[in-house]
Amino acid sequence: MLLEDKKSKKQKNVRVRDIVIGGPEKVIISGPCSVEDYETMRKITSGLKKCGVQILRGGAFKPRTSPYDFQGLKHEGVKILHEVGKEFDMPIVTEIMDARDLESCAEHLDMIQVGSRNMYNYTLLKELGNYNIPILLKRGMSATLTEWLNAAEYIISSGNPDVVLCERGIRTFETYTRNTLDLNLVAAIKENYNIPIIVDPSHGTGRRELVGKMSLAGIVAGGDGVIIESHINPDKAISDAKQTISIENLSEIISNIKKIENLF
């Protein structure tokens, strides 16, 4: 196993351009679920930059349960994200679903996300090991700790050591929330393993009114940061509107995280 026990080595940091994930400062990643168009993305990014977001996220390739739902702008979305990130001097992260898209997209990205559905896509994971770019690895919706860590090992053992885990909630019998945010494993990973981890309270709850409290809970559990879906007009977001928060709400969450980040 390349993931070393924390007792034998201090916490590993992953650098996304000038942003360090795993250091003393908690990292805020935010943006819309889907890249909708250039002007909307630009307006969102302007607000995010002002309230202190360090890394810009946005979905270009969208894995949807129904084939009839919006599937994303794909390569055009990556291009928009890249251009806006460059304009506002913000690193960008987006999900790549297919190994065949890596070559054309990787040069435009600062971090590549592996989504929940692709955590078991070992062909993709091994291919990501060939790229010198940080990877954000989301937990599969029913994945155990061992399965999740082994997915990270596929990337690391293939040559790319810069992996950040993302707890995004697991599927349980509870139906009030979209998923159940498993903060037990956030604490366990910080206690036992030499790898950074962030928390996704947007997918973890599926309810915007819970995102603020669960963001703080994720930091208290040991998370190195959060990834939150935000929009200038959350109710009209093309994807995942119910879990998307406003820039104003995000600013308040960031302020609260700043108050407690040095305590944990």
Side-chain angles (χ1 to χ4, degrees):
M1 293 282 286
L2 297 174
L3 289 172
E4 298 185 36
D5 189 297
K6 192 174 182 180
K7 295 176 183 177
S8 64
K9 192 175 181 180
K10 67 178 183 178
Q11 170 73 40
K12 174 183 171 60
N13 297 333
V14 171
R15 185 177 292 273
V16 183
R17 274 173 39 190
D18 295 331
I19 308 300
V20 176
I21 303 177
E25 183 179 8
K26 304 304 180 182
V27 174
I28 311 299
I29 305 172
S30 191
C33 178
S34 296
V35 177
E36 299 172 7
D37 57 69
Y38 177 80
E39 283 304 321
T40 301
M41 195 69 216
R42 189 180 183 281
K43 290 177 182 177
I44 293 171
T45 306
S46 176
L48 297 178
K49 180 78 173 182
K50 290 176 183 176
C51 73
V53 171
Q54 294 111 310
I55 300 176
L56 176 65
R57 64 141 290 156
F61 298 90
K62 297 301 302 176
R64 307 304 297 276
T65 302
S66 170
Y68 305 110
D69 289 339
F70 177 62
Q71 303 289 314
L73 298 179
K74 301 180 173 60
H75 291 87
E76 179 62 22
V78 172
K79 181 180 178 181
I80 291 172
L81 199 60
H82 172 74
E83 290 177 353
V84 172
K86 184 176 180 181
E87 178 181 355
F88 288 91
D89 191 28
M90 293 178 70
I92 60 173
V93 57
T94 195
E95 179 176 357
I96 301 299
M97 297 166 51
D98 194 318
R100 293 170 294 185
D101 292 315
L102 285 173
E103 186 174 353
S104 60
C105 293
E107 63 181 321
H108 302 297
L109 303 175
D110 300 294
M111 189 178 207
I112 295 174
Q113 175 182 307
V114 177
S116 177
R117 293 171 176 83
N118 267 324
M119 194 210 80
Y120 293 106
N121 185 343
Y122 302 122
T123 299
L124 175 62
L125 299 182
K126 287 187 286 186
E127 188 63 28
L128 287 169
N130 297 322
Y131 286 82
N132 184 28
I133 182 170
I135 307 300
L136 181 62
L137 178 63
K138 287 200 166 188
R139 182 183 182 185
M141 61 186 70
S142 300
T144 64
L145 172 60
T146 299
E147 290 169 339
W148 193 12
L149 292 176
N150 277 328
E153 289 279 359
Y154 265 99
I155 301 169
I156 296 169
S157 65
S158 296
N160 185 348
D162 293 327
V163 178
V164 176
L165 300 180
C166 179
E167 165 56 37
R168 48 80 67 201
I170 55 174
R171 178 174 289 173
T172 69
F173 54 80
E174 182 54 67
T175 58
Y176 180 76
T177 52
R178 178 175 180 176
N179 295 291
T180 297
L181 195 62
D182 186 4
L183 299 182
N184 291 334
L185 282 198
V186 176
I189 287 167
K190 292 298 293 185
E191 180 71 20
N192 297 305
Y193 295 95
N194 178 39
I195 189 169
I197 181 169
I198 67 170
V199 174
D200 179 353
S202 300
H203 286 88
T205 65
R207 302 177 71 102
R208 70 169 65 128
E209 69 272 18
L210 301 181
V211 168
K213 288 182 172 62
M214 296 312 294
S215 294
L216 297 180
I219 298 300
V220 172
D224 295 301
V226 292
I227 180 169
I228 298 174
E229 292 187 349
S230 59
H231 199 283
I232 51 174
N233 195 341
D235 288 326
K236 293 187 177 180
I238 290 179
S239 304
D240 287 348
K242 291 182 179 180
Q243 65 191 40
T244 300
I245 65 172
S246 67
I247 306 297
E248 292 75 19
N249 286 344
L250 178 64
S251 181
E252 182 180 356
I253 292 170
I254 293 173
S255 177
N256 288 332
I257 288 175
K258 292 294 182 183
K259 293 176 183 177
I260 68 170
E261 68 179 350
N262 293 324
L263 301 177
F264 303 95

